Amino acid sequence: MHKIILQFITLLSFSSVFAQELNELQIKKTRNIQELLISNPEKAYAEAIEISNDKDELFRFFGKYYVANYFYNKSDFTHSKKLIIALLEEIENSDIPKSSKVYQDLIGICVNKLFYIHKNLGEYDLALLYLDKYKKRLPNNRFNEQYGLIKVAMGDYVNGIALLKKELMTSAHLKLGVGEKKVMNKKLFADKHNIIGEAYQMYYIQSKKAALLDSANHHFNVAASMLIQDNFQPEYTKALFYMREAKSAALAGNYNKSLTLYRKREKFPIISNHIRTEQLFDLGMADCFHHLKQVDSALFYSKKYIKSYETTKVSKENLLMAYTIMTKCYNEKNDTKNAYLYAQKSLELIKSIEGIKNKSVNFLHNYDLNVIKEESNQIIASKNYFKTVFFGILFVLAIVVFSFLYYYKKQKEKQRRFLQIIQDLKAHKDSEIHKTEISVSAFEVQSKQNLDDELIEKLTLGLKKLEHKEAFLDPNFKLAFVAKKLNTNTAYLSQYFNQVMQKTFSEYTQELRIHYVLQKLVDEPYFRKYTLQAIAEEVGYKDANTLVRVFKKQTGLSPNYYIDQLKNTK
């Protein structure tokens, strides 16, 4: 809410400047933009752009400031800061005397804006940096409100609230500025009362004194009454008042009353036009639902807040509160995975916040930093135990799944090989023709080798005759045996296989025998009932092990698998 409050504080701080430096028409235009930034931001932006290109340097500075203010109100803090810093540099390099009031006022509103940008982002160190950097150039009574807010944020509530009240009583805006409307001036002081009320709420978190909540509600009531009397945005004013009252009720532990007040948001659709206000309603409702043990509703509104936080990036403290609610709700649901996740997020965010301020944290409701740490660490420690068990189970499951996938892949490959073998066997006759073509091709290719062409042809035809007679089934079917049958010597025959057939004699024999087994198992079902030893002996091997080894080498399958598949396909 400080963003909305700042809008009026800084915008209305131009009164004395206008009177001295701007003409009547310029004053009227700037005052109009101030009001439009609330009622019609897009129109205000268009007029501010026009002014920012004016020939009058001072008038141009105001236009540029309003452009930056437009982006600030949109929560685009990065762009707003960029514009403000550029404007500061222009002002410092201008011909405006450094000791003049107009120079001090221009520097003041820019530094004020930078302060609130960094405060909203939770960057209190940078917010203070700008105040300290420019404080000596400005009047001694400047920035009472800003220093008061910092003290409150750091836990120095007594002195912080004293500074805020001092600003309320001594503000230069106690008198209307030139061209300033009374209702806009009231809005400025209503915002000051709301700031003090929020400070009392924070003070209550530390001390738990009921009187502090009474003081907070008093200032909220004064602020709302001032605006409603003048009919200034009555619907939005009422919505904000209910939201602040709801927060006080929650701090007092009356979550039913608080939730009832938060639910009044339904009567004020204007809230949807203000993302920061909508966020505070969401987070407040999440907190109430959490304490009322309505876990699913608490998670819904927490998630909604976290999602919108990505747009504004405002208040790390409120984000921490959302993370904490999520952690506790998931823990209650026994969802250890998500409870662990948000506990980690909480601890990481706490480290970020502690790097900036190490005393007190500005929470929306009563959440203690040390308690969050302790609970988050407990959840993480518990999660680590389950994590070990979980990963152990996961590892076993991974082995099982991997084994299954490996087995499945192997089976698919075996099935592919089997089907390919069957297909090749069915095309046996074509295969025989293909073999003849290969022999002729080989004969032509190897004609330049040492073997005589006539000898090559003789050996080729001789082997064909032996194949036809199934001589390869004889256990004595060896190189010397075949050489004798073909009336040649083993040297020529070995050379023939190596150069013409492009394989060894042993490979040639294995191919013939396994092909015979494959074909016979397909054509003669009774053959499938033979033992592997019997099949081995039929094709010229002494034992089953040799058959199995050669069969797998030639087909990639075991004989038993091949036989089983044949049985299943018939």
Side-chain angles (χ1 to χ4, degrees):
M1 293 309 300
H2 293 314
K3 183 190 77 172
I4 299 172
I5 294 170
L6 170 65
Q7 174 183 340
F8 295 96
I9 295 174
T10 55
L11 291 179
L12 294 176
S13 62
F14 300 144
S15 300
S16 58
V17 177
F18 295 160
Q20 295 181 28
E21 302 292 340
L22 298 180
N23 61 43
E24 186 176 348
L25 180 60
Q26 290 172 332
I27 292 173
K28 184 176 180 180
K29 284 186 176 181
T30 51
R31 291 294 187 191
N32 185 55
I33 291 176
Q34 291 175 22
E35 296 178 27
L36 289 175
L37 280 169
I38 302 169
S39 60
N40 192 341
E42 300 306 318
K43 186 175 181 181
Y45 176 68
E47 293 190 11
I49 287 290
E50 181 181 351
I51 293 176
S52 68
N53 294 309
D54 196 86
K55 294 181 180 180
D56 185 292
E57 183 182 53
L58 182 59
F59 197 35
R60 186 166 66 246
F61 287 160
F62 290 136
K64 290 183 178 182
Y65 173 80
Y66 288 130
V67 171
N69 200 66
Y70 166 83
F71 287 105
Y72 175 89
N73 291 344
K74 293 286 186 181
S75 295
D76 188 350
F77 297 129
T78 300
H79 190 49
S80 179
K81 177 182 176 180
K82 181 179 179 181
L83 295 175
I84 290 293
I85 290 177
L87 178 56
L88 265 174
E89 185 177 351
E90 281 191 63
I91 295 171
E92 291 179 315
N93 293 330
S94 70
D95 295 330
I96 302 176
K98 301 297 186 289
S99 59
S100 67
K101 189 175 187 308
V102 65
Y103 174 84
Q104 293 178 358
D105 285 339
L106 284 169
I107 292 294
I109 60 174
C110 290
V111 172
N112 204 32
K113 183 66 69 178
L114 288 173
F115 168 85
Y116 275 94
I117 287 174
H118 289 293
K119 181 186 179 300
N120 285 332
L121 293 173
E123 299 169 350
Y124 294 94
D125 51 346
L126 293 177
L128 282 169
L129 176 66
Y130 283 106
L131 293 186
D132 292 340
K133 180 179 178 180
Y134 288 94
K135 184 179 180 181
K136 292 181 180 180
R137 307 185 196 180
L138 304 171
N140 293 329
N141 63 348
R142 177 69 74 170
F143 302 139
N144 281 332
E145 184 169 275
Q146 289 71 23
Y147 280 113
L149 287 171
I150 290 293
K151 285 183 178 294
V152 168
M154 294 298 179
D156 185 0
Y157 301 107
V158 174
N159 291 318
I161 292 174
L163 281 173
L164 294 175
K165 287 185 174 181
K166 180 179 180 181
E167 171 64 19
L168 180 67
M169 302 302 295
T170 62
S171 173
H173 299 286
L174 288 170
K175 294 182 179 180
L176 288 178
V178 176
E180 181 182 13
K181 292 183 179 179
K182 185 176 181 180
V183 67
M184 295 296 288
N185 183 266
K186 276 192 173 183
K187 178 66 174 76
L188 173 66
F189 281 91
D191 289 339
K192 291 181 184 296
H193 279 287
N194 283 326
I195 287 176
I196 295 172
E198 290 170 359
Y200 273 118
Q201 286 180 329
M202 297 175 206
Y203 193 6
Y204 172 82
I205 294 174
Q206 183 191 64
S207 67
K208 302 300 181 184
K209 294 179 180 179
L212 297 174
L213 287 182
D214 293 337
S215 296
N217 291 335
H218 165 73
H219 283 280
F220 294 147
N221 188 59
V222 170
S225 298
M226 290 173 66
L227 298 178
I228 291 174
Q229 285 174 2
D230 283 353
N231 202 36
F232 183 87
Q233 293 191 308
E235 296 301 301
Y236 188 52
T237 297
K238 290 177 183 178
L240 292 177
F241 178 65
Y242 288 135
M243 183 189 74
R244 294 182 174 108
E245 275 198 323
K247 177 180 174 180
S248 290
L251 288 172
N254 192 342
Y255 291 101
N256 284 310
K257 178 182 178 181
S258 178
L259 186 58
T260 299
L261 290 168
Y262 277 124
R263 279 176 166 162
K264 288 182 180 289
R265 67 189 294 181
E266 298 171 3
K267 299 180 180 180
F268 307 104
I270 192 174
I271 291 173
S272 62
N273 297 331
H274 303 270
I275 185 171
R276 285 288 296 117
T277 302
E278 193 168 30
Q279 283 179 330
L280 294 178
F281 269 98
D282 289 338
L283 190 56
M285 292 183 72
D287 179 63
C288 289
F289 281 123
H290 164 58
H291 283 90
L292 294 172
K293 305 301 181 184
Q294 298 182 40
V295 176
D296 291 332
S297 295
L299 287 172
F300 172 80
Y301 283 103
S302 293
K303 290 176 181 178
K304 188 179 177 186
Y305 173 84
I306 291 171
K307 183 178 180 180
S308 65
Y309 175 84
E310 293 303 315
T311 300
T312 63
K313 301 290 185 181
V314 174
S315 183
K316 292 180 180 179
E317 294 88 348
N318 286 345
L319 179 62
L320 177 58
M321 176 180 169
Y323 283 164
T324 303
I325 293 172
M326 296 280 280
T327 301
K328 292 182 176 181
C329 287
Y330 279 124
N331 200 39
E332 290 175 16
K333 290 170 70 72
N334 293 320
D335 186 343
T336 55
K337 179 181 178 181
N338 280 310
Y340 177 78
L341 172 66
Y342 283 98
Q344 282 190 317
K345 286 179 178 286
S346 295
L347 290 178
E348 290 170 2
L349 191 55
I350 287 172
K351 289 180 181 178
S352 173
I353 294 172
E354 284 182 329
I356 299 171
K357 47 180 191 172
N358 53 19
K359 284 188 178 180
S360 178
V361 182
N362 171 19
F363 291 106
L364 177 66
H365 292 316
N366 192 3
Y367 285 78
D368 183 83
L369 194 62
N370 292 324
V371 173
I372 294 175
K373 275 186 179 180
E374 182 179 352
E375 291 178 347
S376 297
N377 282 320
Q378 287 175 353
I379 289 173
I380 289 174
S382 173
K383 176 67 177 179
N384 285 336
Y385 168 75
F386 290 107
K387 194 179 191 180
T388 302
V389 176
F390 172 75
F391 279 114
I393 295 172
L394 193 63
F395 179 72
V396 174
L397 287 175
I399 293 176
V400 172
V401 171
F402 176 78
S403 300
F404 173 77
L405 292 176
Y406 178 76
Y407 172 78
Y408 178 77
K409 182 178 179 181
K410 291 288 289 183
Q411 291 301 107
K412 290 289 290 184
E413 177 61 21
K414 286 181 179 180
Q415 181 68 11
R416 185 194 67 77
R417 288 175 180 270
F418 170 78
L419 294 175
Q420 185 63 49
I421 290 170
I422 298 301
Q423 183 179 352
D424 291 344
L425 292 174
K426 288 181 179 180
H428 178 61
K429 291 183 179 180
D430 293 337
S431 173
E432 288 296 318
I433 296 173
H434 183 60
K435 286 181 180 179
T436 302
E437 293 174 351
I438 292 176
S439 298
V440 173
S441 174
F443 173 81
E444 293 174 352
V445 171
Q446 300 299 332
S447 61
K448 295 182 180 181
Q449 302 297 326
N450 296 329
L451 291 176
D452 181 79
D453 292 346
E454 184 178 344
L455 177 59
I456 292 176
E457 184 175 2
K458 173 187 173 182
L459 294 177
T460 300
L461 294 174
L463 286 172
K464 288 295 181 182
K465 290 180 181 180
L466 291 176
E467 291 174 16
H468 182 69
K469 293 179 181 180
E470 297 180 346
F472 53 82
L473 299 178
D474 191 325
N476 296 315
F477 191 77
K478 302 191 185 299
L479 188 64
F481 174 84
V482 175
K484 186 176 181 180
K485 290 287 185 181
L486 298 180
N487 295 316
T488 186
N489 59 50
T490 56
Y492 282 136
L493 185 58
S494 179
Q495 187 177 1
Y496 170 84
F497 277 106
N498 290 330
Q499 295 181 358
V500 179
M501 299 289 284
Q502 299 291 305
K503 64 185 70 174
T504 66
F505 177 79
S506 178
E507 291 171 340
Y508 166 73
T509 303
Q510 291 173 5
E511 288 178 6
L512 291 175
R513 288 176 174 176
I514 298 305
H515 182 271
Y516 174 87
V517 173
L518 293 171
Q519 190 67 61
K520 190 166 184 177
L521 287 170
V522 171
D523 296 339
E524 301 177 21
Y526 75 88
F527 193 55
R528 302 169 196 167
K529 298 179 181 180
Y530 281 27
T531 64
L532 292 182
Q533 180 63 34
I535 295 174
E537 291 177 356
E538 178 157 337
V539 295
Y541 293 121
K542 292 181 179 181
D543 57 72
N545 290 335
T546 303
L547 172 68
V548 172
R549 177 176 55 79
V550 175
F551 195 97
K552 284 185 176 181
K553 177 182 177 183
Q554 293 295 320
T555 65
L557 306 174
S558 69
N560 285 333
Y561 178 86
Y562 180 74
I563 292 170
D564 289 340
Q565 291 299 307
L566 286 174
K567 290 178 180 178
N568 293 332
T569 56
K570 293 297 183 180

